[in-house]
Amino acid sequence: MSEHNPALDGPPDGADEEVEVKPVVAVVGRPNVGKSSLVNRVLGRREAVVEDVPGVTRDRVAYDASWQSREFTLVDTGGWETGASGLAGMVARQAEYAARAADAILFVVDATVGISDADEAVARVLRRSGKPVVLAANKVDGELQEADAMELWNLGIGEPFPVSALHGRGTGDMLDAVTAALPEAPPEREEEGEDEPRRIALVGRPNVGKSSLLNRIAGEDRVVVDAVAGTTRDAVDEVVELGGRPWTFIDTAGIRRRFRALQGADYYATVRTSTALSRAEVAVVLMDVSEPLAEQDIRVVEQVVEAGRALVLAFNKWDSLDEDRRYYLEKEIDRQLSRVWWAPRVNISARTGRHVERLVPALETSLAGWDTRIPTGRLNSWLKELVAATPPPVRGGKQPKILFATQADARPPQFVLFTTGFLEDNYRRFIERRLREDFGFEGSPIKLTMRIREKQGKGGGRKASRGSTRPDWRR
């Protein structure tokens, strides 16, 4: 057997894949106009540090936010002063990066002060960005200040929304405008009912004992079992009680090696297996350990991971092993399945029922990892420490920066890194490994993609406005 299995490497570099991501709203403005106070008002809690001194906020800080059932990522930034140098210049660049990475921009101005030179400079940059901008005229605590807000029409950004971050006045209309400026929301996915049994697909190459295992779990002959490979051709759903709770098991036809060469019933059996995986939440990949692991076994694992399903590895016929075979099998597992080291492993015998009960904790562990979601604030605090300790490697003479990150989805966990440049595969795998070490995700694949924002060229044009990379399933 070859030590390298390209089947687990995922699609080739450059293959793009759309990932559903929460839209990003960047809150920008010159120092001490009340950006962090407004962020706290939108969040409904004190998250951002607020003090009546300019320059308290220096880094980009991302939070999960929602308005009228529309979820988005809110990014608080430091004061943006064009032409600033030193520490102030670094803070301003962070704010500018955030604006480039955002889907919409909330531009905060102090209405009681009026339009300053710094406000006009920021407004010019925002007008060139081509991004939708909502202008928040802050510190309008009553009707007397509303006339001050109207002066802000002269910024050329559009209608100013009079708000008071301190009292909450006018923030509803402002948020209506913000959510209206965001990209159209994707169709809502139906949530699984809490009382519905979790769905398990039993998959593997033909004749490894899938139907025998289902019959053993059910305690009766629910599906046909025969020594002839390929007896099962339909995906069969069976609700079975195991470990004191019901589970829906989907017994599937064996996944054969060369899909395009299949004809007739075998072709449709493979199609139905793929459909079964799409309906399942977790897959138990069954392997016959009485013979060497085959390339087909690895391909089955790869298909489950690419489908984004939680994974449990079940090694069947374990009771038939002698010491010599057990020794070589462990080496095969270490060599051939090292890229899915995170998957729980169960050694069973479908024929005798040995250790079948251990499937339940393995399934629960994998599903818990599959369901895990990290709050955006916690994720970015963790990422900031990680990048500070181990920065991304230099690529093409430039070091890419990770602006911030968000978990776009769970089931499986999908993370999007907003960056100023391409992150090498090794660094993305490093991030994935550290995510697993610090947050778990045992038994679940992790989908890690990038959205790349590069510096603007002359005249405000972007060199590369947006990019995404393939999900990095590899270890």
Side-chain angles (χ1 to χ4, degrees):
M1 288 181 294
S2 170
E3 293 195 10
H4 175 69
N5 289 290
L8 287 182
D9 284 350
D13 283 323
D16 291 343
E17 178 167 322
E18 287 297 321
V19 178
E20 182 184 321
V21 185
K22 288 182 186 177
V24 176
V25 178
V27 183
V28 303
R30 61 180 177 82
N32 209 33
V33 294
K35 296 185 295 297
S36 296
S37 295
L38 191 56
V39 166
N40 286 338
R41 176 62 60 179
V42 173
L43 297 176
R45 61 189 185 276
R46 288 182 64 87
E47 287 277 4
V49 178
V50 176
E51 188 175 340
D52 194 20
V53 176
V56 173
T57 303
R58 291 177 177 173
D59 294 304
R60 301 173 310 275
V61 186
Y63 303 99
D64 292 318
S66 65
W67 176 252
Q68 303 289 18
S69 300
R70 186 70 199 275
E71 295 185 345
F72 53 94
T73 297
L74 193 65
V75 181
D76 188 17
T77 67
W80 187 351
E81 294 181 284
T82 58
S85 60
L87 177 60
M90 294 172 61
V91 172
R93 283 193 293 275
Q94 296 294 313
E96 190 173 357
Y97 281 145
R100 290 175 185 165
D103 295 291
I105 298 167
L106 182 59
F107 180 26
V108 185
V109 178
D110 186 342
T112 63
V113 173
I115 299 175
S116 68
D117 291 343
D119 292 326
E120 288 184 337
V122 172
R124 284 195 295 271
V125 175
L126 295 181
R127 284 197 299 271
R128 291 197 302 266
S129 73
K131 298 285 181 70
V133 180
V134 175
L135 178 58
N138 194 25
K139 304 185 183 179
V140 179
D141 299 329
E143 294 182 2
L144 293 177
Q145 289 85 26
E146 287 193 359
D148 298 332
M150 293 304 101
E151 181 192 344
L152 301 182
W153 275 100
N154 294 322
L155 282 170
I157 293 294
E159 178 186 359
F161 288 85
V163 299
S164 171
L166 182 62
H167 303 294
R169 186 176 188 269
T171 53
D173 291 340
M174 178 199 73
L175 286 170
D176 286 342
V178 168
T179 53
L182 295 176
E184 185 176 349
E188 290 190 8
R189 190 175 55 188
E190 293 185 8
E191 295 294 331
E192 302 296 333
E194 291 185 5
D195 297 331
E196 290 290 324
R198 305 304 292 262
R199 299 184 303 279
I200 306 165
L202 293 178
V203 297
R205 60 186 173 89
N207 209 32
V208 293
K210 298 182 298 296
S211 297
S212 297
L213 178 59
L214 179 55
N215 286 340
R216 170 61 61 179
I217 292 170
E220 58 181 305
D221 291 341
R222 299 257 187 124
V223 289
V224 177
V225 177
D226 194 277
V228 177
T231 301
T232 303
R233 285 199 171 118
D234 288 303
V236 181
D237 291 13
E238 293 289 344
V239 178
V240 176
E241 184 158 324
L242 185 65
R245 61 180 289 189
W247 304 81
T248 298
F249 278 84
I250 307 169
D251 182 33
T252 63
I255 300 177
R256 293 180 179 275
R257 185 172 184 177
R258 292 161 57 171
F259 177 82
R260 290 181 179 82
L262 299 180
Q263 296 180 354
D266 284 340
Y267 171 85
Y268 291 106
T270 305
V271 171
R272 291 187 187 106
T273 296
S274 298
T275 302
L277 273 178
S278 69
R279 291 192 293 114
E281 297 171 282
V282 56
V284 176
V285 177
L286 208 62
M287 286 171 266
D288 182 350
V289 296
S290 65
E291 53 189 61
L293 297 184
E295 183 71 19
Q296 289 170 271
D297 294 312
I298 313 306
R299 289 183 182 276
V300 174
V301 173
E302 185 268 343
Q303 185 169 351
V304 172
V305 173
E306 285 300 314
R309 297 300 174 256
L311 173 65
V312 173
L313 302 176
F315 296 97
N316 192 25
K317 306 183 183 179
W318 194 264
D319 55 342
S320 67
L321 300 185
D322 56 28
E323 288 300 319
D324 286 343
R325 173 64 189 136
R326 210 168 276 189
Y327 171 79
Y328 288 108
L329 175 62
E330 291 292 345
K331 289 190 171 295
E332 291 171 16
I333 292 172
D334 289 343
R335 185 171 64 247
Q336 302 284 33
L337 298 173
S338 61
R339 295 176 182 87
V340 288
W341 59 272
W342 40 262
R345 167 181 161 180
V346 183
N347 304 327
I348 63 172
S349 170
R351 182 178 61 84
T352 65
R354 179 185 186 273
H355 292 167
V356 168
E357 72 283 354
R358 294 184 181 178
L359 278 174
V360 173
L363 290 168
E364 291 174 340
T365 296
S366 292
L367 285 168
W370 197 62
D371 292 338
T372 296
R373 184 182 288 277
I374 307 173
T376 300
R378 185 182 175 197
L379 175 64
N380 281 277
S381 297
W382 171 86
L383 185 62
K384 179 182 176 183
E385 294 179 3
L386 181 70
V387 172
T390 311
V394 174
R395 186 173 191 265
K398 296 181 180 179
Q399 184 175 59
K401 293 183 174 64
I402 301 177
L403 306 178
F404 57 91
T406 183
Q407 183 171 353
D409 208 349
R411 302 186 170 189
Q414 302 179 39
F415 296 91
V416 180
L417 304 175
F418 291 80
T419 72
T420 62
F422 187 84
L423 299 178
E424 300 288 353
D425 286 354
N426 286 341
Y427 195 75
R428 296 204 305 275
R429 284 196 289 272
F430 163 71
I431 293 176
E432 178 189 338
R433 185 174 71 251
R434 291 299 303 272
L435 276 170
R436 293 188 182 281
E437 289 174 358
D438 295 341
F439 296 103
F441 299 109
E442 186 177 356
S444 175
I446 290 178
K447 184 180 267 187
L448 194 65
T449 61
M450 293 181 294
R451 283 194 175 184
I452 301 172
R453 302 294 199 283
E454 294 191 359
K455 292 184 179 180
Q456 291 181 331
K458 293 182 180 179
R462 255 194 209 102
K463 292 180 181 177
S465 63
R466 184 169 174 172
S468 67
T469 68
R470 60 180 175 83
D472 194 350
W473 296 115
R474 296 176 293 171
R475 172 66 191 152

